[in-house]
Amino acid sequence: MALIDIQVPDIGDFDEVTVIELLVKPGDTVKAEQSLITVESDKASMEIPSSHAGVVKEIKVKLDDKVKQGSVVLTLEAAGADAAVAPAPAAVPAPAVQQVPAPVAAVAAAPVAAASGPVEVHVPDIGDFKDVSVIEILVKPGDSIKAEQSLITVESDKASMEIPSSAAGVLKELKVKLGDIVNIGDLLAILEGTAAPVAAVAAPAATAQPAAAAASAPVAVASVPAPVSAPAALPAHAPTVAPTGNLPHASPSVRKFARELGVPLAEVKGTGYKGRITPDDVQAFTKAVMTGAIRTEAQVAKAPAPAASGGGAGMDLLPWPKVDFSKFGPVERQPLSRIKKISGANLHRNWVMIPHVFNHDDADITELEAFRVQMNKENEKSGVKLTMLAFLIKASVAALKKFPQFNASLDGDQLVLKQYCHVAFAADTPNGLVVPVIRDADKKGVLQISQEMGELAKKARDGKLSPADMQGACFTISSLGGIGGRYFTPIINAPEVAILGVCKSQIEPVWDGKAFQPRLILPLSLSWDHRVIDGAAAARFNAYLGQILADFRRVLL
Ligand code: CAO
């Protein structure tokens, strides 16, 4: 198998063109004359075909590279008969657009216009291209046209090109419309006014270009096989779709304009003929990005993952710091537990999406704790221990009944007020945090709640909670009372709208109007969703909770 360098063939007067699309990748099997890359000048885009069949070994160009005749595009491992001719890459077929003259050349070749009166502008020599479609009209009657200004864009199955005016003047009449098929010599437009002889504007170097191109490119365009499917270079794919490696449907000047502005054309919705992207589309896209109405895919990719399935705030945060901790000392890596991964994602979403506010308060539980201790002494033999958390659940139920907006969830623009009262409690387990639910806590006594809590806490520690054990909560309590601390700010367990954090009670001096009394004070921390709950309601909720805990008889009221 011989390795062949596939080079850019004679592309006429195009000195240097930009690689705008790679159509193959290493490992691809290509046929002779199959398009390998698309290149673009400021007036035309064209595909560069392979001179041989074989397997692509290495691509030698990348996007935005400038190439010209003789530049190596890729290395091919030639197949079959091609291998035999491998050493002779000179037999490069002409690129699809090879015989399309540079527009300037076309200007030069056009008849010289009269200095005044109507001037006819015809389709210049566009090489071997026959029956090309008008895909874009770039001017309208009444426009002042400069010599060499592009009038229309035409497209063959391999290239699109802009056809310039051979004279200056005011456009009186356009003789073609979108979708028309045109050929060399067809009347394109009539100008009047200050017509300028084209000889004055034609680039002399370009004058001989069509002929030179034709001469240096004996392989006729006709020998380039028609593409198997839709035109490969300019597919009319939905512009909103992520880039697929195909070019968006836009003329070279529009693409140049987009490049200058840094607009990703693949994301622009074309409103032109057959979905083509117009300069206005590029401008509208730029404006929309600048005003924040839309984000480019690059911006979206840089932003963190959406916080919830319903979309989320894409915050342009800095990437997470990557630190090689071993530089600073020995480390050990442990994978996160399944629970930590799941709860972490939920906590993150809830923290980011819910506007949390925190209220802290104190409850005097002196009498309640004395009652609890006494009850536990009396019921020692029952095996069920009354816990402070069970009292807190029962007290919360009373507060939820009094302030129904705490027993609610947001659903779009609606508040779902729940007629039931399931209360969850956070349980610390060796594998991470879980949140089992006491169902219908409003229908249960503190003893039953204590018992169920004990069972659920055990199940949690044993990793045996079922999904049903952790669903349907209206409100959650997170108690660190058995551990310590004063106050904290628990994260709301969405779609609930509030969570109560409880810390360790301790004896504190409380002024009774005459003297300081030693009282058992329980610190309460309420986190609430400000979209649903107001600060005053939160303060009332906490105060009411405090009153109940101070005198549990109020639960009966
Ligand atoms: N103040 C002072 N002491 C308290 C107290 C409080 N608020 N709450 C409990 N205690 C005491 C109990 O009386 C008990 O003491 P005794 O053994 O002398 O009776 C001791 O602390 C241990 O209580 P406990 O923690 O076993 O029981 P509990 O009912 O208070 O809590 C459970 C059960 C499952 C909630 C708890 O084990 C737990 O997992 N807590 C951690 C929850 C958590 O991680 N929250 C943070 C989540 S982040 O939002």
Side-chain angles (χ1 to χ4, degrees):
M1 289 275 179
L3 287 180
I4 307 173
D5 281 344
I6 305 293
Q7 297 170 356
V8 175
D10 182 353
I11 46 176
D13 229 27
F14 290 88
D15 223 14
E16 270 198 335
V17 284
T18 309
V19 177
I20 57 165
E21 197 180 24
L22 302 176
L23 303 168
V24 293
K25 57 183 184 320
D28 281 0
T29 301
V30 298
K31 297 191 186 115
E33 297 179 8
Q34 180 179 331
S35 297
L36 303 175
I37 58 171
T38 309
V39 294
E40 183 185 74
S41 72
D42 60 347
K43 292 281 183 188
S45 62
M46 63 205 90
E47 293 180 6
I48 303 293
S50 180
S51 51
H52 293 79
V55 176
V56 177
K57 295 310 283 179
E58 194 185 349
I59 310 269
K60 299 281 195 184
V61 292
K62 55 184 187 323
L63 291 178
D64 290 335
D65 275 3
K66 301 274 184 224
V67 294
K68 56 186 181 192
Q69 182 180 353
S71 300
V72 176
V73 174
L74 52 80
T75 314
L76 199 72
E77 195 170 69
D82 276 347
V85 296
V92 176
V97 82
Q98 184 159 350
Q99 295 183 356
V100 177
V104 174
V107 170
V112 173
S116 61
V119 178
E120 289 188 348
V121 177
H122 296 264
V123 175
D125 182 353
I126 46 175
D128 245 14
F129 281 73
K130 295 216 165 38
D131 301 332
V132 288
S133 324
V134 177
I135 55 164
E136 205 168 12
I137 306 275
L138 305 167
V139 289
K140 58 182 184 321
D143 282 359
S144 279
I145 309 293
K146 294 191 189 117
E148 294 182 24
Q149 181 178 336
S150 297
L151 300 177
I152 59 169
T153 308
V154 295
E155 184 182 69
S156 72
D157 60 351
K158 288 280 184 184
S160 71
M161 66 210 87
E162 291 176 11
I163 303 292
S165 176
S166 52
V170 174
L171 181 65
K172 194 175 165 222
E173 201 182 341
L174 254 178
K175 292 292 191 182
V176 291
K177 59 182 185 322
L178 288 177
D180 279 1
I181 304 293
V182 295
N183 283 291
I184 179 170
D186 285 353
L187 180 60
L188 208 56
I190 296 177
L191 304 182
E192 66 179 5
T194 55
V198 289
V201 295
T207 312
Q209 192 272 337
S216 62
V219 182
V221 168
S223 72
V224 177
V228 190
S229 56
L234 298 151
H237 67 79
T240 44
V241 169
T244 58
N246 288 329
L247 281 178
H249 223 41
S251 68
S253 61
V254 169
R255 282 208 289 276
K256 185 162 179 271
F257 180 46
R259 259 202 315 277
E260 282 165 3
L261 293 175
V263 167
L265 262 193
E267 296 172 41
V268 178
K269 187 166 171 43
T271 59
Y273 177 65
K274 289 187 180 169
R276 292 188 70 77
I277 300 167
T278 66
D280 285 350
D281 294 333
V282 175
Q283 266 172 347
F285 183 90
T286 310
K287 195 172 168 192
V289 171
M290 295 302 286
T291 56
I294 58 168
R295 291 188 302 153
T296 63
E297 285 173 11
Q299 287 173 322
V300 171
K302 262 202 275 167
S309 58
M315 296 175 291
D316 280 330
L317 298 177
L318 289 175
W320 194 257
K322 264 262 179 246
V323 178
D324 177 9
F325 300 101
S326 62
K327 276 199 313 198
F328 308 108
V331 292
E332 182 203 327
R333 284 183 177 267
Q334 284 181 352
L336 285 180
S337 71
R338 198 180 63 85
I339 289 179
K340 270 219 153 60
K341 280 194 225 160
I342 296 169
S343 64
N346 279 292
L347 289 164
H348 188 192
R349 176 201 58 205
N350 299 349
W351 182 248
V352 168
M353 291 196 82
I354 301 174
H356 283 72
V357 185
F358 312 99
N359 273 48
H360 303 290
D361 210 337
D362 293 327
D364 185 334
I365 58 165
T366 314
E367 273 79 37
L368 183 60
E369 177 62 2
F371 175 69
R372 188 184 77 86
V373 171
Q374 189 192 332
M375 285 295 110
N376 280 340
K377 261 192 205 147
E378 288 178 16
N379 294 317
E380 215 165 354
K381 289 192 187 117
S382 75
V384 179
K385 186 175 142 189
L386 280 175
T387 64
M388 183 51 71
L389 189 49
F391 282 101
L392 282 161
I393 289 176
K394 199 66 192 166
S396 297
V397 166
L400 291 172
K401 296 265 180 200
K402 191 168 173 72
F403 302 98
Q405 72 267 42
F406 284 77
N407 187 10
S409 283
L410 266 181
D411 185 9
D413 284 345
Q414 292 195 325
L415 195 61
V416 180
L417 293 154
K418 294 157 197 169
Q419 317 277 308
Y420 54 87
C421 205
H422 309 325
V423 178
F425 63 98
D428 184 31
T429 77
N431 285 324
L433 185 69
V434 289
V435 192
V437 181
I438 305 281
R439 309 204 93 76
D440 298 313
D442 53 334
K443 298 185 182 130
K444 292 173 181 166
V446 179
L447 208 59
Q448 189 180 351
I449 292 173
S450 282
Q451 185 177 350
E452 285 188 21
M453 264 186 55
E455 290 163 6
L456 285 167
K458 181 169 183 326
K459 268 173 111 176
R461 279 191 299 274
D462 297 345
K464 291 193 174 149
L465 285 175
S466 68
D469 288 330
M470 295 182 280
Q471 283 170 0
C474 306
F475 183 77
T476 297
I477 302 180
S478 175
S479 172
L480 297 174
I483 304 167
R486 293 297 290 159
Y487 303 94
F488 71 117
T489 54
I491 297 175
I492 296 167
N493 192 19
E496 297 155 39
V497 293
I499 182 171
L500 180 69
V502 182
C503 282
K504 194 176 178 69
S505 59
Q506 60 184 33
I507 300 289
E508 291 180 24
V510 176
W511 185 253
D512 70 357
K514 290 184 190 143
F516 282 105
Q517 302 295 343
R519 307 292 295 175
L520 186 63
I521 302 299
L522 178 72
L524 303 174
S525 301
L526 185 71
S527 309
W528 42 279
D529 183 340
H530 209 339
R531 293 172 301 176
V532 177
I533 295 160
D534 293 332
R540 287 191 191 105
F541 185 94
N542 261 359
Y544 184 66
L545 207 54
Q547 285 173 5
I548 289 177
L549 293 169
D551 185 351
F552 221 78
R553 289 172 304 178
R554 286 173 185 271
V555 167
L556 303 169
L557 298 175

